[in-house]
Structure formats: structure tokens, C-alpha cells
Amino acid sequence: MTADVTAALDEAFRAEWGKVIATLIGMTGDWDLAEECAQDAFTQALRSWPRDGVPRRPGAWLTTVARNRALDRLRRHASEAAKLQQAVILSPPDDPAGGAVDTHITDDRLRLIFTCCHPALPLEARVALTLRTLAGLTTAEIARAFLTAEPTMAKRLVRAKQKIRNAAIPYRVPPAHLLPERTSGVLAVLYLLFNEGYAATAGSRLVRHDLCAEAIRLARVLAGLMPDEPEARALLALMLFHHSRRTSRVNAAGDVVTLENQDRSLWDHEEIGEGVSLLAAAVRREQRGPYLLQAAIAQCHATAATAEDTDWGLIADLYGVLAQMVPSPVVELNRAVAVGMADGPEAGLKLADALAASGKLTGYYLLPATRADLLRRLGRSAEAAVSYREALDLAVNDAERRYLARRLAEAEGTAPQQSRA
Amino acid sequence: MTADVTAALDEAFRAEWGKVIATLIGMTGDWDLAEECAQDAFTQALRSWPRDGVPRRPGAWLTTVARNRALDRLRRHASEAAKLQQAVILSPPDDPAGGAVDTHITDDRLRLIFTCCHPALPLEARVALTLRTLAGLTTAEIARAFLTAEPTMAKRLVRAKQKIRNAAIPYRVPPAHLLPERTSGVLAVLYLLFNEGYAATAGSRLVRHDLCAEAIRLARVLAGLMPDEPEARALLALMLFHHSRRTSRVNAAGDVVTLENQDRSLWDHEEIGEGVSLLAAAVRREQRGPYLLQAAIAQCHATAATAEDTDWGLIADLYGVLAQMVPSPVVELNRAVAVGMADGPEAGLKLADALAASGKLTGYYLLPATRADLLRRLGRSAEAAVSYREALDLAVNDAERRYLARRLAEAEGTAPQQSRA
Amino acid sequence: MTHRRAAYFNELDASGVRLLGDRLRPGSDATTVRVRDADVLLADGPFAETKEQIAGFDIIECADLDQAIEVASKHPVATFGAIEVRPFWEE
Amino acid sequence: MTHRRAAYFNELDASGVRLLGDRLRPGSDATTVRVRDADVLLADGPFAETKEQIAGFDIIECADLDQAIEVASKHPVATFGAIEVRPFWEE
């Protein structure tokens, strides 16, 4: 097989798997049949493309093959006459050239993503099902990505598909009155997927499959399918801003490098540029959702030429609006950090102390870590040391622990003072 | 009020309360109404008997007054028209002289006892309800007898009556196919009641009301109501044999006196005589139920002129039959004791050891206590001491503990040897 | 029945979604039946010893789970208790 | 359905005691709906986290509890599971 054909197959798999599955579920209502027939179609491509050449529209080719396979299978089961009839009614007239098929595919993929992320499914099942049916990851890959045994993951997927069938979770884009809530549910699954991957790159975990890339790919699909939904674009922008810093977040020793100390020349400026234009398009819609605000904050960091150029005042304001929209002590903590940068550590410490007094973040290591940093900047080393030690007791991630230990040593005067940021 | 009238009232209360309640429940289906009206009738008797004299048939008088009271109450509630109609249909024509009433009363009391002991009620509710409705104990008396707070007992009674009404527990003598099982359920409640009272007389507990006497009274009522049921008679006989020894079971110091050491002249020979004739009548029926076997064993003890005269061979055989009928490790243990007496301690120890090896009575103090007694009789003092200590660790009753401590001291040679039994 | 309850059930019945339904007596009026070795064993109370107990049920006919969730979420009990939506077994 | 099951339900229906009844899908197909602060909260699975789950129900009309117990004790599930007999609420 030539490298060209291999690349074409690879590309087709990434781009088309979800579409093929979505179309077949829409046509047959049978998730397992859809998976089997999609697999068949890709196997068929593996055999025939090297011999006959890559078709002009690989997606349409794959969809047609998979659909014919599904019809064959259904016809073979005379007992499933009713199902077949339904399938025939639902399936559009055969169109091997794929002219009118695309719009139909588009709809089906949106139906698929809303079904996979239905809130009646357990959260982990939503994530797994999305990766399996939309991203085309194998059960083994998903299991590895989530540090789960493969049989457990297989069971989870089977269970989820059973529940969709037995509890009659509808295969559709939700009606208008449910759409905002369900859309934010879908976005939450994709962002969870991204964060899972993002946290892993900085921890001591090895993930074979890049969950961040999958999350971005799916968010891009969703933003394309829902052009009227600014939050979908904003989520994609948010992911891109974070992802642009992936190489500079950890140094050669595996230690976390804080944002202010990162080498900004390593940042992926193409991704930042895409994020900026996505956000600009989203902002034009005049809706301010939580992802838009978070993306706007991330943009402030991503577009600052140096750490000193960061517009901390704007960031503090954005966190203020966000905190009102989605009350959360973690957002409050981030606001305290931003205020500490914009108006000085004294002002930030005041907010952080209020948060500590509320008890809402008890046990969360970033609260004492933040207080420690603010105390350090105020020159109150002894108090800073106490807080660093507290944070160290709570942190679980290795890289974070190394960072805190270093800071603690500094505050206790047992290590050479690093250059002040 | 003259002593005569007081005694008549007292007697009527004991004898008639259950009958009046039973008749009124049968008539109205309303347990609370039945209680209220019975109370009213007794209050009325308290007022009118000293003035007008005790009626010829106090039971019929009370029933008539209570029934008229109930009809009055029901008539007063126009909204309960349906209930009234039912009540009128169910109630027999008024008969103040009480001619035909008695047979009807008899039936109702049997219905009441089966309803109170219905297996769908929790066991403790069956006992409490039986004491309240059949024996006429107040809620406070029942609570005291079972060392429970009065509000707890009141709640239990209310709950039981609610369940009877809401779950439609039928007010009737069960049909033939349910009768054997339900009868043994009723007998079990009465025997539990008796044992509760019997255990209390030997423990450090003070009970105001004599549960044993109530249990015997109720068993006598049941045996009278079910003349064809030999087990009812056998249970009454069993209770009488136990009860006949009540004054000789504990010495002046409050210590348990074992059967062999009891002063048989203190036994209530009238009760023993009644037990013997009841058992003789029961045996004629040619059915061998568990109460009959237990009563036969108790009779062996009760009718032996001296401990040495006890027919241990027959007792061992009876336990053997009983063990086959109702397999139970406690019965096996008693059999081991009997065999130890009939065939010598060696034979008894063999059975007791087998039982210990089975693990079925682990934690039950009478197993090591029995082994200890057998070992002592074999002259194996050191082993006996170990077993007495084991039993002492498990026993909870004060009197039992004092007995075991004394035996332990003997086995260890730290106390003067008592006369060997 | 409160006005709110009545309105909910009237609407449900009028829409044809509810086929049947009723409140059950509390668990304290339940009797649990087991048969073991041919013996009928009775126990006072419900079979599950959870704090939460089933208070009633409605049989509804819905196009899909979303409709069932909508019906359930409007049930007067949903705001303080929970409504379990269970599909029937179809062979 | 096994022969024994079928025989049981045929007899029940013929006697007029059973008004209605059906098996439910297992708890894993259930969705629990709660409404809190006007938000509709969904949870996968049944409301009670007990090992035992409700597998079905039958609405029977009986003269009294003894008849209901008799019907329940003959149910094929009674020999390995439990049948909870619950009266309807009557106002």
C-alpha cells in the first residue's frame, strides 16, 4: 500500500467515522449494527482503495458501502421485517456520488452527539460513548486513556447503548425548550474530555491517545454543526488557547512552569490566532455564556506579549462577571489571584482570606497555595511557609508537589532564592 | 363500694374484656371504637353495679352496654352511614338477657386472637396487641412489662391497628388450609409471652404485671376455644408444669436453684394435676406436636417424687423425637443433658462435644455450662473450670452468673465442695 | 388532594399520557412475602430497608425518555422526592 | 416466559384477581428525576441504591391480606426473590 493511500485511509477514518456511524444509527436505530457496518466499510476500503484508487468523495463512498451492508444484514433477517421497513422509510434514496447526502450526514452527527451526551446516561458513559461513536476510538484506546480495564470500559459502552435502546433515549437534536440546557451538557462533556487530557500531560500519567486533540476535533465539529451557538465556538477557542501552551507548561525535569515563567515563543500562535477569530465571531452574537468568559480570560493570557503585559484588571473583571453567572468558589479563587496581580497582593489576600473563612474550598490545595504565593509577595515568609506546607499536604499531582516543595524551601530560607517573578 | 362488687368488677374485667372487645370488633370492624366502647361499658358498670347490684350475667350485660354505645356512636356520624349499615347487618338481634350471645362471643374471641397473632404483623406488635385487646392490659402496663417507654408501646399498638385496617388483615379464624400454620403462630406468641414472664422472675428485672399468669389465662381461653387442637391443651399443660415450680426456682439470696435441688414440696401440685389431665386429654388425640412433647418432658420432672426418681431415659427419648420434629441445637443440648443423666456423664459429654464441634451453639452460655457440669461429674475438675469460665464470660443473667461463679470456685478448689447432686 | 396535584393529574389524564396510576399506602402497611423451602415467610414492612420508599406509581405512555422526563419533572413529588422512570419490559 | 410463569399468570387473569401487571426493565435502564430549585436533575439508575430492585408489579384485587399473600406466595419470583404486598391508598 502506498503512503498516499494509507494517509487517505487514516484521514478518512478520522474525518468520516463519526459521520458514517451517525448516518447508520439514524437509518437503522441500531447502534451495534451501525458500528459493525462502519467497521465493514473501512475494512472494505482497506482492500479496495489500494487497488482501485481513493474515491473522489471518500466519506460518501464509505457511507454508501456501510449503508448497503446494513440493508443486506437487515434483509437477511426476515424476522426483522418491521425494522427493515422502518429502515427503508428512513433511508434517503441511494446516492453513491454523495450529492445530497452531506446535509443529511450533518444532521445525523448532531443527533448523535446529543444522544451520546444525554443527561440520563452516567457521565463517564457519555464521555466513553462520545469517544467511541464520534471520534472512533476503540474500546481499548478509551480504556487506556481513562486508566480503566478494557472489559470494564466495554461493559460501560454496552450498558450505555442498552440504556439508549431500552429507556428510549431519543436520537435527535433536542427541541428548542431543551436545547440550551442540553447543549451546555454536550459542551461540558467535551470540556471534561479536554481537561482529562490536559491534566494528564502535566501529571505522571502516560496517555497513548491525545484526548486534548480529540476534544478539540469534536468541539470543532460541534461548532461547525451549531453555527448559531456562540458557546460552542467559545469552548473551541478556550481549548485552543490552553492547548497552544502545551509544550511550555512543563520543563525538561517534568516540573510545572507557571504561566508567568513560560517561554512564550514556544506557544502555538496558529492556534492562538484561530482562537482569537473564533472568539471575535462568538462575541458578535451578544450572548455572554460561561465558556465565552473563560475564553476571553484565556485570550488575555494568550495574547499578552510578556507576562508583565497581561491585562490583569480585565481578567479580574471577567472573573467577577463569571462568578455572578456561575457561582463557584474556584472562580472566586481565580478572581483573588487576578485581583492580587491587578491591585497588589494585599487586595488579593483579602479575597483569598474571605474564601478561606467561608470554608467552601476546604481541602482544595490551590487555596493555601494561592495564599502562600500572595504572602510570599508581601514578604511574610513565615506565614507563606505554613501555607505552602498546608498546600503540599493536600496536593496529589507530582509536578505540583515539586513546585510547592521548592517554594516551601525558599520561604523557609533553606534554598537559594529564585528570581522573583 | 362493697368488697363484693369490687371483686365482681375485677373478675368481670379479667374474664370479659377480651370477649367484649372481640364482639365489638366483629360488629363494627373498628378496633379503636371497640376499645372506647368497652371502656365506656366498664365505666358504666363501675357506676351502676354498686347501686343496682351485679347483673346475673355480667358478660352479657357489659357486651350489651358496649354494643349499644357503639351503635349510638355510629348513628351520630351520619357520614358513616355505610359503616352503620354494615354494623346493623353484622350485629345479632339485641338480647340483653344474653341467651344466644355467648356462642357468638366465643367465635369472636377466637377471631380476635388469630388476628392479633397474624404473621404479617411484627412479632412484638402481636404480643402487645394480644395483651391489650385480649387480656385488657393498659398500654402503660404492657410498656412496663417489656421495659419499653409508654409512647413507644402506644405507637406500636397504633401502628399494628393501622396495618390491620389498611392492609386488610381479615378478622376471622383462618380457613382449614391455613389453620395448622396460623395456630402454631398463635401458640408461639403465647409461649413467648410466658417465657418473657418466666425469665423475668429469675433475673434482676422487676415486672409489675405477671406475664406468666396472663399467658396461662390466654392459653386456657385458646384451649377452651379450640377443643380439637391438642397442641393448645399441651401448651397450657407445659406452662402449668413450669409455673408450678415458680416459688422454688430461686432461693432467698436470689440464686437459681437447679431442678434437682429444688424443694418439691413448694411445687404447686394443683397446677401439676391440671397439667397432667390436660396432657392426658391431648395425648388421646394421637397427634404429636412439639408442645405435646415438651409438655410430656416437663411432666416427667413435675411428677417425679424426688430428683432421683426422674425418668431420664424417657426424657432422653422424648428429646430425640422432638429433635427430629423441630431440628434445633438447643433441643440437642437438652438431649445431651438427659442422656448424661440416663446413661452417665460420659455418654452425655460425647453428645455435647459433638454439638460444640458443629459450631451451632457458639456463644450460647449453656453449652459450656453443660459441658462443665458433665466434666465435673467425671471428676475432670481442671477442664470443668475452663468450661465454667467460658460459660461465665457468655452468661448475662445475674442469678445464672452467680451459680456459674460458685461452680467455678468449686472446680478450682477455692471454695468448700458442696454436696454433690 | 391539593389543587396543584389535581391540576397535574387532570392534565396528564386529558393528554392521554397517563394510562393508570395511584398512590400506595406507606411501607409500614406493606407485607413482604417470601417462599423458602415451601414455607411462606412473611415480614412486616417493605422488602428494601431504605429510608426512601415508593409512594405511588403512574403508568404513562410516552414517545421517548425526554417526554417521560418532562412528565416526571412536573409531578408534584419531584420537587422534594424523586421520580424513578422505568421502562416496561418488551419481549 | 417459562411454562410455570405462564400457568401462574393465566390462572390469575382467569380468576379475575389480576387487573394488570407487567415486568419492568432492570434498574440499569431507569432514570431518576428530581427537581431542585427549578432545575431538572437526572440520575442514571433507580432512586434507591439497594441490591434488590423492583422487577415488576401486578395490580390485584383481593378480599383481604390473606388472599393477597396466597397470590404472592404462588408468584414464580417468591421462591428466590420477595413479593412486597402494598395496599392502595383509599381516601
Side-chain angles (χ1 to χ4, degrees):
Chain A
M1 208 184 305
T2 66
D4 268 12
V5 174
T6 311
L9 268 166
D10 233 53
E11 167 60 25
F13 185 82
R14 289 193 166 267
E16 307 298 341
W17 172 267
K19 291 187 202 168
V20 175
I21 292 278
T23 307
L24 261 73
I25 295 175
M27 179 182 140
T28 66
D30 186 328
W31 291 54
D32 293 324
L33 183 74
E35 269 186 42
E36 284 164 28
C37 294
Q39 217 114 42
D40 281 358
F42 280 97
T43 309
Q44 171 96 11
L46 200 64
R47 258 199 313 255
S48 68
W49 291 8
R51 189 184 60 212
D52 307 334
V54 176
R56 196 170 49 87
R57 301 176 64 108
W61 188 98
L62 288 162
T63 304
T64 303
V65 170
R67 192 168 53 204
N68 290 340
R69 187 65 48 116
L71 287 171
D72 277 356
R73 288 201 181 209
L74 290 175
R75 268 188 212 109
R76 237 178 289 148
H77 295 280
S79 67
E80 304 205 53
K83 217 181 209 173
L84 176 63
Q85 193 180 16
Q86 193 193 17
V88 170
I89 290 165
L90 289 175
S91 76
D94 259 22
D95 178 6
V101 173
D102 256 340
T103 46
H104 183 68
I105 288 173
T106 300
D107 285 355
D108 272 341
R109 212 155 30 147
L110 203 52
R111 287 157 76 180
L112 182 55
I113 200 165
F114 274 103
T115 307
C116 288
C117 296
H118 195 282
L121 296 170
L123 188 58
E124 64 270 35
R126 289 176 229 167
V127 172
L129 208 56
T130 301
L131 284 174
R132 175 79 198 103
T133 61
L134 278 154
L137 265 65
T138 64
T139 306
E141 285 169 335
I142 304 169
R144 225 175 291 127
F146 285 93
L147 303 175
T148 309
E150 192 179 335
T152 307
M153 188 53 79
K155 220 166 128 187
R156 190 177 292 170
L157 284 165
V158 166
R159 253 258 314 106
K161 283 186 271 185
Q162 276 175 347
K163 174 145 187 189
I164 289 170
R165 184 175 58 243
N166 297 332
I169 291 180
Y171 186 64
R172 66 163 186 200
V173 176
H177 71 285
L178 289 176
L179 197 57
E181 186 193 320
R182 294 284 168 88
T183 301
S184 73
V186 169
L187 298 172
V189 166
L190 297 186
Y191 196 35
L192 184 148
L193 201 52
F194 180 85
N195 282 327
E196 195 70 25
Y198 203 63
T201 60
S204 58
R205 289 163 51 177
L206 260 173
V207 284
R208 206 205 84 167
H209 213 95
D210 188 346
L211 289 182
C212 291
E214 291 300 344
I216 288 173
R217 218 155 55 73
L218 291 169
R220 186 170 276 131
V221 169
L222 188 69
L225 293 174
M226 301 186 82
D228 293 332
E229 179 49 82
E231 282 289 276
R233 268 187 225 187
L235 174 63
L236 178 57
L238 174 62
M239 288 180 181
L240 289 169
F241 289 135
H242 283 317
H243 198 244
S244 72
R245 298 199 295 271
R246 65 193 173 281
T247 52
S248 59
R249 284 174 67 222
V250 182
N251 66 17
D255 284 338
V256 169
V257 181
T258 57
L259 195 50
E260 51 192 7
N261 292 322
Q262 287 177 16
D263 176 355
R264 292 177 187 233
S265 69
L266 293 176
W267 290 3
D268 185 332
H269 291 282
E270 201 173 315
E271 286 190 335
I272 292 173
E274 190 188 350
V276 169
S277 45
L278 281 164
L279 191 55
V283 166
R284 271 197 296 277
R285 290 267 163 188
E286 299 204 348
Q287 281 176 35
R288 300 283 177 272
Y291 291 110
L292 191 140
L293 287 164
Q294 289 176 81
I297 292 164
Q299 182 175 254
C300 288
H301 293 297
T303 56
T306 65
E308 288 70 29
D309 287 338
T310 308
D311 187 349
W312 285 108
L314 178 55
I315 293 175
D317 289 350
L318 289 167
Y319 272 124
V321 181
L322 185 60
Q324 294 209 308
M325 196 178 294
V326 274
S328 145
V330 172
V331 171
E332 292 289 355
L333 182 63
N334 286 327
R335 188 169 153 246
V337 172
V339 167
M341 296 305 287
D343 305 335
E346 193 81 54
L349 188 61
K350 213 165 145 185
L351 291 176
D353 283 348
L355 202 50
S358 78
K360 281 185 213 152
L361 280 178
T362 305
Y364 183 56
Y365 86 98
L366 276 178
L367 176 57
T370 300
R371 288 190 68 251
D373 279 339
L374 291 164
L375 289 164
R376 173 178 58 79
R377 286 169 52 205
L378 286 167
R380 290 154 66 175
S381 303
E383 290 163 84
V386 171
S387 287
Y388 278 125
R389 206 170 293 117
E390 201 185 321
L392 203 50
D393 284 346
L394 294 169
V396 288
N397 180 303
D398 284 348
E400 305 282 10
R401 290 177 58 80
R402 279 197 298 276
Y403 167 80
L404 291 166
R406 209 168 59 229
R407 285 296 196 196
L408 174 60
E410 283 168 28
E412 286 175 333
T414 58
Q417 193 82 359
Q418 285 202 332
S419 71
R420 290 282 289 272
Chain B
M1 208 184 306
T2 67
D4 267 12
V5 174
T6 310
L9 268 166
D10 232 53
E11 167 60 24
F13 185 83
R14 290 193 167 266
E16 307 298 340
W17 171 268
K19 289 187 202 169
V20 175
I21 292 278
T23 307
L24 261 73
I25 295 176
M27 178 181 140
T28 65
D30 185 330
W31 290 55
D32 291 325
L33 183 73
E35 268 186 42
E36 284 164 28
C37 295
Q39 217 113 46
D40 280 358
F42 281 96
T43 308
Q44 171 95 12
L46 200 63
R47 257 199 312 254
S48 67
W49 291 8
R51 189 184 60 214
D52 307 335
V54 175
R56 197 170 49 89
R57 301 175 64 109
W61 189 97
L62 287 162
T63 304
T64 303
V65 170
R67 193 168 53 203
N68 289 340
R69 189 64 49 118
L71 287 172
D72 277 354
R73 288 203 182 208
L74 290 175
R75 271 191 208 103
R76 238 177 288 147
H77 296 281
S79 67
E80 303 202 55
K83 219 181 210 174
L84 176 62
Q85 194 179 17
Q86 193 193 17
V88 169
I89 292 165
L90 288 173
S91 75
D94 260 21
D95 178 7
V101 173
D102 255 337
T103 46
H104 183 69
I105 288 173
T106 300
D107 286 355
D108 272 341
R109 212 155 31 147
L110 203 52
R111 287 157 78 183
L112 182 56
I113 201 166
F114 274 102
T115 305
C116 288
C117 296
H118 196 281
L121 295 172
L123 188 58
E124 64 270 34
R126 288 177 230 166
V127 172
L129 208 56
T130 301
L131 285 174
R132 175 81 198 101
T133 61
L134 278 154
L137 265 64
T138 65
T139 306
E141 286 169 335
I142 303 168
R144 223 174 293 126
F146 285 93
L147 303 175
T148 309
E150 193 180 333
T152 308
M153 189 52 79
K155 219 165 130 186
R156 190 176 292 167
L157 284 165
V158 167
R159 253 258 313 104
K161 283 185 271 184
Q162 276 175 348
K163 174 146 186 188
I164 290 171
R165 184 176 56 243
N166 298 332
I169 291 180
Y171 186 64
R172 65 162 187 201
V173 176
H177 70 286
L178 289 175
L179 197 57
E181 187 193 321
R182 294 284 167 88
T183 301
S184 73
V186 170
L187 298 173
V189 165
L190 298 186
Y191 196 35
L192 183 148
L193 201 52
F194 180 84
N195 281 327
E196 195 71 26
Y198 204 63
T201 59
S204 58
R205 288 163 52 176
L206 259 173
V207 284
R208 205 205 84 166
H209 213 95
D210 188 348
L211 289 181
C212 290
E214 292 300 343
I216 288 173
R217 218 155 55 77
L218 291 169
R220 184 168 281 130
V221 168
L222 189 70
L225 293 174
M226 301 186 82
D228 293 333
E229 178 50 80
E231 282 290 273
R233 266 185 226 187
L235 174 63
L236 177 57
L238 175 60
M239 288 179 180
L240 290 167
F241 289 135
H242 284 316
H243 199 242
S244 72
R245 296 197 297 271
R246 65 193 173 282
T247 52
S248 59
R249 284 174 67 222
V250 182
N251 67 17
D255 284 338
V256 169
V257 181
T258 58
L259 195 50
E260 51 192 5
N261 292 322
Q262 288 176 17
D263 176 356
R264 291 175 189 233
S265 71
L266 293 176
W267 291 3
D268 185 332
H269 291 280
E270 200 173 313
E271 285 190 336
I272 293 173
E274 189 188 351
V276 169
S277 45
L278 280 164
L279 191 55
V283 167
R284 272 198 294 277
R285 290 266 160 188
E286 299 204 348
Q287 281 176 36
R288 299 284 177 274
Y291 291 110
L292 191 139
L293 287 164
Q294 289 175 81
I297 292 163
Q299 182 175 253
C300 288
H301 292 298
T303 56
T306 65
E308 288 70 30
D309 287 339
T310 309
D311 188 349
W312 285 106
L314 177 55
I315 292 175
D317 289 350
L318 289 167
Y319 274 123
V321 181
L322 185 60
Q324 294 209 308
M325 195 179 296
V326 275
S328 145
V330 172
V331 171
E332 291 289 356
L333 182 62
N334 286 327
R335 190 170 151 246
V337 172
V339 168
M341 297 305 287
D343 306 335
E346 193 80 56
L349 189 60
K350 213 164 143 186
L351 292 175
D353 285 347
L355 200 52
S358 78
K360 280 186 216 151
L361 280 179
T362 306
Y364 184 56
Y365 86 99
L366 275 179
L367 176 56
T370 301
R371 290 191 67 252
D373 279 340
L374 291 163
L375 288 163
R376 172 177 57 82
R377 285 170 52 205
L378 286 166
R380 291 154 66 177
S381 304
E383 290 163 86
V386 170
S387 287
Y388 278 126
R389 205 171 293 117
E390 201 184 322
L392 203 50
D393 285 346
L394 295 169
V396 288
N397 180 302
D398 283 349
E400 305 282 10
R401 290 178 57 80
R402 278 196 299 274
Y403 167 80
L404 290 166
R406 207 169 60 228
R407 284 295 195 196
L408 174 59
E410 284 167 26
E412 286 176 333
T414 57
Q417 194 83 358
Q418 284 201 331
S419 70
R420 289 282 289 272
Chain C
M1 210 187 306
T2 64
H3 179 71
R4 192 156 152 258
R5 290 185 79 87
Y8 171 75
F9 287 114
N10 286 343
E11 198 194 320
L12 255 194
D13 290 339
S15 69
V17 165
R18 183 164 91 145
L19 305 183
L20 186 93
D22 222 324
R23 284 201 295 160
L24 297 174
R25 300 272 340 161
S28 55
D29 286 328
T31 302
T32 297
V33 181
R34 289 178 177 82
V35 176
R36 299 291 183 271
D37 299 329
D39 285 333
V40 177
L41 310 177
L42 302 185
D44 176 60
F47 81 103
E49 292 191 6
T50 46
K51 219 188 79 195
E52 287 143 321
Q53 290 294 340
I54 293 164
F57 70 94
D58 294 287
I59 300 176
I60 57 174
E61 187 155 29
C62 290
D64 55 40
L65 183 62
D66 280 349
Q67 193 190 353
I69 289 168
E70 201 158 334
V71 168
S73 67
K74 286 181 189 153
H75 193 288
V77 163
T79 53
F80 58 90
I83 313 284
E84 181 175 323
V85 176
R86 281 276 281 276
F88 279 106
W89 198 289
E90 280 164 41
E91 248 118 341
Chain D
M1 213 188 301
T2 63
H3 179 68
R4 193 158 149 257
R5 288 185 79 87
Y8 171 75
F9 287 114
N10 286 342
E11 198 194 320
L12 254 195
D13 291 338
S15 68
V17 164
R18 184 166 91 145
L19 306 183
L20 186 94
D22 222 323
R23 282 202 295 160
L24 296 175
R25 302 271 340 160
S28 55
D29 286 328
T31 302
T32 296
V33 181
R34 287 177 177 84
V35 176
R36 297 292 183 269
D37 300 328
D39 286 333
V40 176
L41 310 177
L42 303 184
D44 176 61
F47 82 102
E49 292 191 5
T50 45
K51 222 187 79 195
E52 287 143 322
Q53 289 295 338
I54 294 164
F57 70 96
D58 293 288
I59 299 175
I60 57 175
E61 188 155 27
C62 290
D64 55 40
L65 184 63
D66 279 350
Q67 194 190 355
I69 288 169
E70 200 157 336
V71 168
S73 67
K74 285 180 187 152
H75 193 287
V77 163
T79 54
F80 57 90
I83 314 284
E84 181 176 324
V85 177
R86 281 274 283 275
F88 280 105
W89 198 289
E90 281 164 41
E91 250 120 339

